[in-house]
Amino acid sequence: MKVYKPKNRLTAQAYIDGVLQGSRVILSRAITIIESNLESDKVLAKEIIQSVLPHSGKSIRIGITGVPGVGKSTFIEAFGKYLTSLNHKVAILSIDPSSQRSKGSILGDKTRMEELSNNDNAYIRPSASGDTLGGVANKTGETMILCEASGYDVILVETVGVGQSETAVHGMTDFFLLLMLAGAGDELQGIKKGIMEMADMVVINKADGDNIRNSEMARLQYQNALHIFPQPDSGWTPIVTKASSTKNTGIRTVWKHVLKYKTLVEENGYFNKNRNQQKIKWMYNNINEELKHLFYGSPQIKNKLSILESDVISSQISPVKAAQYIMEDFKKNM
Amino acid sequence: MKVYKPKNRLTAQAYIDGVLQGSRVILSRAITIIESNLESDKVLAKEIIQSVLPHSGKSIRIGITGVPGVGKSTFIEAFGKYLTSLNHKVAILSIDPSSQRSKGSILGDKTRMEELSNNDNAYIRPSASGDTLGGVANKTGETMILCEASGYDVILVETVGVGQSETAVHGMTDFFLLLMLAGAGDELQGIKKGIMEMADMVVINKADGDNIRNSEMARLQYQNALHIFPQPDSGWTPIVTKASSTKNTGIRTVWKHVLKYKTLVEENGYFNKNRNQQKIKWMYNNINEELKHLFYGSPQIKNKLSILESDVISSQISPVKAAQYIMEDFKKNM
């Protein structure tokens, strides 16, 4: 079987050198290799990642989430511009398993981040496409490694605020920021379970004009609500602030708290501990996914499972016995 | 190889008949078969469960949790006595992966539930022993099935309030009750993440004497705090009440709300939907555990994983590649 090999590929070394030298063009092309599903690209990707890996990690990774309409893009534009004004190199990635490259994801929408996308010290990459969250998260995680190796020292990872992608982003970042809006009491309805308690910081966005008063009330309400969660392992007490991305207020405060957090966790050892745990967990997540794929991907197993499901619901077989039964079958045919 | 077979075992049919006829002695002996790790008992257990399964399910299953010191045993004693006074048959089980039969678990402590343990309509069974939470949960889940088949129409499943056992109990019950104490503002510290939002009802226990005022304040505080969670799928709005197990106040209120809940979810279809989902999830949890056991139980895999972990931490290999590497190995040697 002849493996299809695109003609416009560079050598692995050319990608590695380009990335390490900070070339945006080569960085983009290297990320394309990472995101590719072609077998020949996967071999190339492995070699690139392997070589740049020791040069990665020197950044602060910030996860940013919030429901659609909260103003994530304008916030990231304002935050990113502020960071580049401090001479940081900022990479903006996103995890959105529902997006497709052809449609363009939120972050790829140039009209929304016009200034930032023309900024030499900002690198915006739309979400990789993929069928599974695990697959998309892998690609975003490896893209993060490439960006760091290329000199980006602040990585913003956006998530779309629906489904399980927040957990994936939380699992690959150092600091987790939740954007919220002041509302009519039910402002938390759109936020999935467990998101609140992952937040290191909650920012009440659009705190401007007539909305300032409501935003301050929401801020107090969230600050109180956060008390019901146990203190996170980092030793950090999550805080709530207000910001206006359009009026450009509160943006410095966000960064100030990120730096405070960084100092704290570097001193108490949590920064490295957390990063190491994240890497190990990333590996095990991949293993467990592949294991499930091996099992549930089998058409034989699929057929039997649908029969067992009905039998379990109609109490013809207990869930425990059903599991034993199908596992014996799997081992026999393995 | 000769399989060890205990001499004092009855025939499967004798267990089945005894359980269905409501014999406490046979019920206890049948549960011992379920909990046994002997191969011959596993075969017997399978037959018993298979036959009584169609007779199970006709009960309300209530999960009860709270940190040590909250007064779970006295609450369950008061609640159980009240239920038996209404002619309910009450089975009290527990999930405690850390307990060992020889040590006796909290619920086995007769001095704590003296009256209830002498009550003909109450059946108290200490936690099964086991190495894994999954194993203990399986045994408790199947014990629940036996109790229901034996005519118990209220099942209380207690959890020790530490670790992941709350999620297991939540996954096998219809109604989840969290016991709390009024405290000095930090009363939630002992509660693990996510427990609060599983609760259908929070009961501020020990609301008596000098503590009544504080308990009312805690009640209001929790009632407000619960608003930050999204409405559960059941359509039920979680409520917070006060109780005193020693003064026997607030116990009727708990049962009143359980019945209200039951009426609601039976009418809106959630009761059956949830039970079916629980059964299916129980099956898949077992399958996934067995799969992991198959993989991680291999000494070869264990060795390689410990090497890969160090390589991942020292950034010599990416987590994704490490996972691919070991999976290829597993498939080859399968």
Side-chain angles (χ1 to χ4, degrees):
Chain A
M1 197 182 78
K2 205 167 169 282
V3 175
Y4 169 69
K5 219 169 162 173
K7 280 180 186 155
N8 61 346
R9 295 295 186 252
L10 308 174
T11 62
Q13 198 56 49
Y15 287 110
I16 296 161
D17 292 343
V19 165
L20 293 178
Q21 284 155 18
S23 156
R24 290 168 71 101
V25 174
I26 301 295
L27 174 62
S28 288
R29 290 181 65 177
I31 296 173
T32 301
I33 307 292
I34 299 293
E35 294 177 348
S36 165
N37 290 318
L38 294 174
E39 283 310 315
S40 63
D41 282 342
K42 283 184 182 174
V43 176
L44 196 53
K46 194 172 173 173
E47 213 177 325
I48 300 169
I49 289 290
Q50 206 60 26
S51 295
V52 304
L53 205 52
H55 303 277
S56 69
K58 293 174 213 82
S59 74
I60 176 95
R61 302 165 180 171
I62 304 172
I64 301 179
T65 193
V67 293
V70 77
K72 268 199 304 284
S73 297
T74 41
F75 175 84
I76 291 171
E77 165 115 320
F79 192 45
K81 272 164 62 187
Y82 175 65
L83 292 172
T84 55
S85 80
L86 301 175
N87 285 322
H88 288 292
K89 282 187 78 179
V90 184
I92 295 148
L93 314 174
S94 65
I95 285 198
D96 179 3
S98 64
S99 83
Q100 283 174 19
R101 177 61 64 81
S102 58
K103 288 187 195 164
S105 82
I106 301 160
L107 281 172
D109 191 348
K110 298 260 181 180
T111 56
R112 288 213 193 174
M113 292 201 197
E114 207 168 345
E115 285 189 61
L116 204 55
S117 59
N118 291 321
N119 186 319
D120 274 349
N121 284 319
Y123 179 77
I124 303 178
R125 181 80 181 192
S127 178
S129 63
D131 292 331
T132 65
L133 174 58
V136 175
N138 278 339
K139 287 168 183 175
T140 307
E142 298 200 318
T143 297
M144 191 165 73
I145 286 166
L146 289 183
C147 290
E148 288 172 346
S150 210
Y152 291 87
D153 64 338
V154 182
I155 314 286
L156 307 180
V157 189
E158 187 220 34
T159 161
V160 288
V162 282
Q164 290 298 305
S165 51
E166 294 88 351
T167 309
V169 170
H170 181 253
M172 62 169 67
T173 52
D174 307 308
F175 189 88
F176 197 69
L177 201 156
L178 173 62
L179 293 180
M180 300 289 276
L181 290 179
D186 59 344
E187 51 255 81
L188 275 139
Q189 294 304 315
I191 288 294
K192 291 269 182 273
K193 291 185 176 191
I195 306 298
M196 254 318 255
E197 48 192 287
M198 297 194 305
D200 294 303
M201 185 168 187
V202 176
V203 176
I204 313 291
N205 199 22
K206 301 191 183 176
D208 44 42
D210 295 343
N211 210 21
I212 290 184
R213 202 176 182 158
N214 280 341
S215 300
E216 177 57 19
M217 278 171 60
R219 194 191 68 76
L220 287 168
Q221 195 185 342
Y222 284 114
Q223 190 73 69
N224 284 330
L226 281 176
H227 284 300
I228 74 159
F229 299 122
Q231 171 110 356
D233 296 338
S234 59
W236 171 256
T237 305
I239 52 153
V240 188
T241 65
K242 305 192 296 286
S244 164
S245 311
T246 50
K247 300 287 176 194
N248 213 15
T249 56
I251 302 294
R252 282 161 191 256
T253 310
V254 173
W255 182 239
K256 196 184 77 190
H257 285 293
V258 171
L259 290 180
K260 253 194 197 169
Y261 174 87
K262 197 167 175 247
T263 305
L264 173 79
V265 294
E266 277 175 351
E267 279 174 9
N268 69 19
Y270 180 79
F271 188 85
N272 280 326
K273 195 182 137 203
N274 183 46
R275 283 226 173 157
N276 287 341
Q277 283 173 344
Q278 285 182 339
K279 282 196 269 189
I280 296 299
K281 205 173 168 200
W282 189 5
M283 178 180 82
Y284 281 107
N285 282 349
N286 266 282
I287 292 174
N288 294 338
E289 258 187 49
E290 296 263 350
L291 254 182
K292 285 187 189 174
H293 181 73
L294 186 69
F295 181 84
Y296 294 108
S298 146
Q300 260 187 304
I301 294 284
K302 268 185 203 164
N303 274 338
K304 278 182 191 145
L305 277 174
S306 72
I307 298 165
L308 281 176
E309 279 197 19
S310 333
D311 290 350
V312 162
I313 286 180
S314 62
S315 286
Q316 286 177 56
I317 187 170
S318 97
V320 180
K321 301 303 166 193
Q324 282 171 4
Y325 174 80
I326 201 156
M327 280 306 298
E328 277 159 25
D329 216 69
F330 177 67
K331 280 186 230 170
K332 242 181 268 162
N333 297 318
M334 210 159 74
Chain B
M1 199 182 77
K2 205 168 167 282
V3 176
Y4 170 68
K5 218 169 165 175
K7 279 181 188 153
N8 61 344
R9 295 294 187 251
L10 309 174
T11 62
Q13 198 56 49
Y15 288 111
I16 295 161
D17 292 342
V19 165
L20 294 178
Q21 283 155 19
S23 157
R24 289 167 71 101
V25 175
I26 301 295
L27 174 62
S28 287
R29 289 180 65 177
I31 295 172
T32 301
I33 307 292
I34 299 295
E35 294 177 348
S36 165
N37 289 318
L38 293 174
E39 282 311 316
S40 63
D41 283 341
K42 284 184 183 173
V43 176
L44 197 52
K46 194 172 174 173
E47 216 178 323
I48 300 169
I49 289 290
Q50 205 62 27
S51 295
V52 305
L53 205 52
H55 305 277
S56 70
K58 292 172 215 83
S59 74
I60 176 95
R61 302 166 180 170
I62 304 173
I64 301 179
T65 194
V67 292
V70 78
K72 267 199 303 283
S73 298
T74 42
F75 176 83
I76 291 171
E77 166 116 318
F79 192 44
K81 274 164 61 187
Y82 175 65
L83 292 172
T84 55
S85 79
L86 301 175
N87 286 321
H88 287 292
K89 283 188 78 181
V90 185
I92 295 148
L93 314 175
S94 65
I95 285 196
D96 179 3
S98 64
S99 83
Q100 282 174 21
R101 176 62 63 81
S102 57
K103 287 188 198 166
S105 83
I106 300 160
L107 282 171
D109 192 348
K110 298 257 179 180
T111 57
R112 289 212 193 176
M113 291 200 198
E114 207 169 344
E115 286 189 60
L116 204 56
S117 59
N118 291 320
N119 187 318
D120 273 350
N121 284 318
Y123 179 77
I124 304 179
R125 181 82 182 191
S127 177
S129 63
D131 293 332
T132 65
L133 174 59
V136 175
N138 278 341
K139 288 168 184 177
T140 307
E142 298 201 317
T143 297
M144 191 163 75
I145 286 166
L146 289 184
C147 291
E148 289 173 345
S150 210
Y152 292 88
D153 63 337
V154 182
I155 314 286
L156 307 181
V157 189
E158 188 219 33
T159 160
V160 289
V162 283
Q164 290 299 303
S165 51
E166 294 88 352
T167 310
V169 170
H170 182 254
M172 61 170 69
T173 52
D174 307 308
F175 189 87
F176 197 69
L177 201 154
L178 173 62
L179 293 179
M180 299 290 276
L181 290 179
D186 59 343
E187 51 256 82
L188 275 137
Q189 294 302 317
I191 289 293
K192 292 269 182 276
K193 291 186 177 191
I195 305 297
M196 253 322 252
E197 48 192 286
M198 297 194 306
D200 295 302
M201 184 166 187
V202 176
V203 177
I204 313 291
N205 199 21
K206 302 190 181 176
D208 43 43
D210 294 344
N211 211 19
I212 290 184
R213 203 177 180 158
N214 280 342
S215 300
E216 178 56 20
M217 278 170 59
R219 195 190 67 76
L220 287 168
Q221 196 184 341
Y222 284 113
Q223 192 71 70
N224 285 330
L226 281 177
H227 284 300
I228 74 158
F229 299 121
Q231 171 111 356
D233 295 339
S234 59
W236 171 256
T237 305
I239 53 152
V240 188
T241 65
K242 304 193 294 285
S244 164
S245 312
T246 51
K247 302 286 176 196
N248 213 15
T249 56
I251 302 295
R252 283 161 192 259
T253 310
V254 173
W255 182 239
K256 196 184 77 190
H257 284 295
V258 171
L259 291 179
K260 251 194 199 168
Y261 174 86
K262 197 167 174 248
T263 305
L264 174 80
V265 294
E266 276 175 351
E267 280 174 11
N268 70 17
Y270 180 79
F271 188 86
N272 281 325
K273 195 183 137 203
N274 183 44
R275 283 229 173 153
N276 288 340
Q277 281 173 346
Q278 285 182 340
K279 283 196 268 191
I280 297 298
K281 203 172 170 202
W282 189 6
M283 176 179 85
Y284 281 107
N285 282 349
N286 266 283
I287 292 174
N288 294 338
E289 258 188 50
E290 295 265 348
L291 255 181
K292 285 187 188 173
H293 181 73
L294 185 71
F295 181 84
Y296 294 109
S298 146
Q300 259 186 308
I301 295 284
K302 269 185 200 163
N303 275 338
K304 276 181 192 148
L305 277 174
S306 73
I307 298 164
L308 281 176
E309 279 197 19
S310 334
D311 290 350
V312 163
I313 286 180
S314 62
S315 286
Q316 285 175 57
I317 186 168
S318 98
V320 180
K321 301 304 166 195
Q324 283 170 7
Y325 174 79
I326 202 155
M327 281 305 298
E328 277 159 25
D329 216 67
F330 176 67
K331 280 187 233 172
K332 243 181 267 162
N333 297 319
M334 209 159 72

